[in-house]
Structures are given as C-alpha cells and as structure tokens.
Amino acid sequence: MSDLRDLYQEVILDHNRSPRNFGSLNDADRHADGHNPLCGDRLAIAVKVVDGVVADLRFEGSGCAISKASASLMTEAVKGKTVDEFHRLFERFHGLVTDENVPANDADLGKLAVFAGVRDYPARVKCAILAWHTLRSVFDDTQEVVSTE
Ligand code: ZN
C-alpha cells in the first residue's frame, strides 16, 4: 500500500512540476475563474467546445500542488469528451474525493484515482475539486467567480 501511495504522490508531483494544457487558449469560446479562499488557489480555465465536444481546454493560475495537479489531470481526462461525459465524470470524481463509500480504485477514473487520498484531508478536498467546479461553471454559463466557500 505504501508503494501505491508513493506512486500517487509521484503522479501529483509530476503534474505540479509540468502541468499539461497549461497556458492561454487563443480561440477559446468560454472562460471561467475559480478561487479557493481556504488555500489561496486561483484558476482560470478556457474552453473551446465544438458540437458538444470539449475540443480543447487550457488552464492558468497559481495554487498548491494538489490544485494544480488536479487541473492538469482533469484537462487530460476531459479533452475530447462530450460535455455530458464531463458531467458524469464530475460526479464520479466528486464521489471519489468526498465519499468514503466510493471505491478508491475506480478503474474508469484512470490516473484521477490518485486523488482518492485527499478524502482523509477535508481541507485538501477543496483544492482537488476546484478545477472541476470551475469547469462545470463554464458549461452552466455562470459569470461569477467560482468559490469553493
Ligand atoms: Zn490548495
């Protein structure tokens, strides 16, 4: 089990060091900002949707390793998926990080399963979920800054 924990940490550290899909997206048609006041994490996500599919997305911002790694892994997982698929993935990820009855080794979540470890640390759950709430707000067309509080 400790090997698995090390592996999880390695994935998070890797995505924190070299986040994927990081930067601005010139032809984005939707944007949202997210803020986690508890930790100070700030994210801006830009998305290009074509025919109901997330054709491209990028994020910018600054925050702790968990919030950054979560945003990075989320962009990898969501790119190429439909908006409906994103909403289903959101529910699964939300369950993974908040519900101790959800199996921590959900194979469908792939690398996202590394975040099962945060359910033991309620303060870090908000770091892990920030990018997901922010991206969801992109599709809700809300204009306000998303806050985890
Ligand atoms: Zn954080």
Side-chain angles (χ1 to χ4, degrees):
M1 189 64 201
S2 71
D3 284 353
L4 199 59
R5 273 207 118 81
D6 289 349
L7 176 71
Y8 284 1
Q9 267 176 7
E10 199 44 54
V11 170
I12 289 173
L13 290 175
D14 171 40
H15 278 260
N16 175 50
R17 266 195 308 261
S18 25
R20 320 301 198 262
N21 303 304
F22 189 83
S24 57
L25 184 62
N26 290 331
D27 56 349
D29 46 29
R30 296 155 195 241
H31 300 264
D33 296 312
H35 181 212
N36 173 18
L38 204 68
C39 179
D41 310 315
R42 283 187 182 277
L43 282 178
I45 297 181
V47 186
K48 182 178 172 61
V49 176
V50 178
D51 296 333
V53 172
V54 180
D56 206 357
L57 75 170
R58 282 174 174 264
F59 76 101
E60 293 179 286
S62 59
C64 66
I66 301 228
S67 69
K68 221 159 136 187
S70 179
S72 174
L73 282 154
M74 180 191 73
T75 57
E76 276 197 332
V78 170
K79 201 185 234 180
K81 291 218 166 44
T82 66
V83 174
D84 285 346
E85 283 169 334
F86 161 73
H87 285 298
R88 282 199 290 277
L89 203 54
F90 178 99
E91 294 306 328
R92 287 186 97 132
F93 186 80
H94 194 269
L96 179 82
V97 296
T98 59
D99 187 349
E100 61 187 22
N101 297 313
V102 170
N105 55 352
D106 186 341
D108 290 348
L109 283 172
K111 275 195 257 174
L112 295 171
V114 300
F115 292 100
V118 306
R119 64 170 77 158
D120 298 328
Y121 307 95
R124 307 323 297 269
V125 169
K126 293 183 174 180
C127 302
I129 205 84
L130 175 65
W132 291 82
H133 277 297
T134 306
L135 183 56
R136 190 168 69 163
S137 78
V138 166
F139 303 124
D140 291 344
D141 289 327
T142 47
Q143 296 299 313
E144 292 160 47
V145 174
V146 178
S147 173
T148 51
E149 289 304 296

